[in-house]
Amino acid sequence: MQAAHPEQLTDDDLTALLADAGVETSVLERHRLTGGLYNSVHRLHLADGRRLITKVSPDPALPALRYERHLLRTEALYYGLAGADGAPVPSVLHTVFDHPTIGADVLLTTELPGRPWSERAAELSRQARGRTRRSLAEIVARLHRVTGERFGYPADSVGPPAATWRTAFRAMIDAVLADAERFDAPLPSPVAEIRTVVRDLVGGELPGRQVPDGAPQSSPADAGGLLDAITTPVLVHFDLWAGNILLDGPDEQPVIGGVIDGERAFWGDPAADLVSLALFDDVEKDEELLTAYRDAGGRIVFDEDTRLRQALYRSYLYLIMLVETVPRGTSGESLVRLRRHVGGLLLADLTLLRRRS
């Protein structure tokens, strides 16, 4: 299933949008971009030669995960903050929240050069890939310079901003587990067991799990400050897979044209971004990337606590990927493969976390 919104902006809507953005030209043509799975995305070809991107959120009446509420508002915030620090992200030209015609959010941005890395991966030599991974690491380190005051999703989709990363992450993972129950999503372990694993590592009580009177409310891992060690809220993209990294230039000397789709960003642990940078793999294997990240000012030391946090963040991402298949109507062989692959990875991380709790 592609972007869920059944509507698209009319010609009059687009004319008004451009006028409000101060763009004094007309749209010659527009093309639907099909790479996204949630928002409706179009490329606009303007009469003055420019190309812009419009994104429209899904119909608010359609089923969605809790964290997906107001994603485009988060994306606009991400681009504004990251761009102000010099990161290669689209420039936000205009936003319309709760659009009067379609009732959804609309985002208008510049278009960045290049094609998704995922489409060019087979064309790159090992040397070109290594150079580009190092450049990506430097960009991610720059992105992680953006810090805030509170933890959690900027749009308050799963609750208000929290004073601690532990409180925010607990709310985030409980929200997706509640979504799993609401949509009756098949998972490799029962929701109650996953809640237990998280509670034992993170500490405190997650809604939906009853703890007998007198039972301890925290674990040794929590007492050691597993999540409380993260004291500075960093703006985390959390979707830095190859499809959201644009590569420009020839295959022999590609350059990163930009980082896109910052809609799933949150304020949290910068180490969480390493999960999507090494999607379905172990980022510790990519010493070249980690060295470049550290050389550019990124802070990461892989000790036992860091590896546990990585397993928690991977589990959270895998839960999202499995649960979202229900409201999006994913079916067929792609669903079978996803459940088998991602479900197996989630089960492996839950097993690791259970042994460490």
Side-chain angles (χ1 to χ4, degrees):
M1 178 179 179
Q2 295 299 314
H5 203 286
E7 308 275 7
Q8 67 179 28
L9 298 172
T10 66
D11 290 342
D12 288 342
D13 290 332
L14 283 177
T15 299
L17 185 68
L18 292 174
D20 289 342
V23 179
E24 299 179 355
T25 187
S26 59
V27 177
L28 293 181
E29 57 182 344
R30 55 180 168 178
H31 298 286
R32 175 78 173 266
L33 303 181
T34 59
L37 295 174
Y38 189 72
N39 298 296
S40 175
V41 185
H42 285 79
R43 175 186 291 121
L44 307 180
H45 293 255
L46 305 185
D48 63 6
R50 283 183 290 172
R51 301 201 303 187
L52 305 180
I53 299 294
T54 61
K55 299 185 79 170
V56 181
S57 65
D59 186 333
L62 292 174
L65 275 61
R66 277 184 59 193
Y67 92 96
E68 291 177 318
R69 181 172 175 266
H70 294 159
L71 283 187
L72 284 188
R73 303 181 190 194
T74 296
E75 184 163 10
L77 174 71
Y78 185 91
Y79 291 158
L81 293 173
D85 200 54
V89 296
S91 296
V92 177
L93 301 178
H94 195 57
T95 59
V96 182
F97 301 142
D98 298 322
H99 192 281
T101 301
I102 59 178
D105 291 344
V106 180
L107 175 65
L108 177 69
T109 72
T110 56
E111 182 184 43
L112 297 180
R115 290 166 45 212
W117 189 328
S118 55
E119 296 178 5
R120 298 188 58 178
E123 305 163 0
L124 304 180
S125 67
R126 196 176 82 162
Q127 292 78 11
R129 179 186 181 278
R131 287 193 301 271
T132 313
R133 288 289 281 179
R134 290 192 295 273
S135 296
L136 176 59
E138 294 168 359
I139 289 172
V140 174
R142 185 187 312 163
L143 290 170
H144 289 169
R145 296 173 192 162
V146 182
T147 59
E149 298 179 353
R150 308 281 284 185
F151 292 95
Y153 284 110
D156 302 355
S157 51
V158 303
T164 68
W165 176 226
R166 173 169 42 155
T167 300
F169 184 74
R170 197 165 60 215
M172 290 162 61
I173 202 164
D174 182 66
V176 76
L177 291 175
D179 287 331
E181 293 176 320
R182 179 162 56 104
F183 292 119
D184 195 23
L187 298 177
S189 289
V191 169
E193 291 186 12
I194 300 175
R195 279 198 178 100
T196 298
V197 172
V198 174
R199 188 201 68 86
D200 288 346
L201 276 170
V202 175
E205 180 56 20
L206 292 177
R209 181 178 191 278
Q210 299 299 315
V211 177
D213 291 341
Q217 292 294 315
S218 61
S219 67
D222 174 58
L226 182 61
L227 296 187
D228 285 342
I230 308 304
T231 57
T232 300
V234 168
L235 191 59
V236 175
H237 188 286
F238 205 56
D239 202 12
L240 290 172
W241 75 291
N244 289 334
I245 310 299
L246 301 180
L247 293 188
D248 196 25
D251 296 339
E252 299 78 17
Q253 293 287 337
V255 295
I256 294 179
V259 176
I260 60 174
D261 288 355
E263 60 202 16
R264 290 170 173 78
F266 55 75
W267 297 104
D269 181 358
D273 260 343
L274 302 182
V275 168
S276 55
L277 276 175
L279 191 61
F280 305 142
D281 205 349
D282 180 3
V283 73
E284 281 195 84
K285 297 177 184 177
D286 198 339
E287 187 56 42
E288 195 170 32
L289 179 141
L290 292 177
T291 297
Y293 177 76
R294 294 185 183 107
D295 289 346
R299 299 180 180 179
I300 185 71
V301 176
F302 277 92
D303 55 17
E304 182 177 2
D305 279 2
T306 301
R307 295 185 181 98
L308 283 176
R309 287 198 296 271
Q310 289 276 287
L312 276 172
Y313 306 151
R314 286 194 302 265
S315 297
Y316 177 58
L317 179 60
Y318 298 154
L319 284 167
I320 289 174
M321 295 176 72
L322 291 168
V323 176
E324 70 185 8
T325 62
V326 180
R328 292 184 183 180
T330 309
S331 61
E333 184 59 31
S334 61
L335 177 61
V336 173
R337 290 196 303 268
L338 186 145
R339 284 180 175 167
R340 181 186 304 121
H341 183 53
V342 178
L345 293 171
L346 173 59
L347 192 59
D349 272 325
L350 290 174
T351 300
L352 170 64
L353 294 171
R354 190 178 291 112
R355 288 172 181 167
R356 300 293 182 91
S357 63

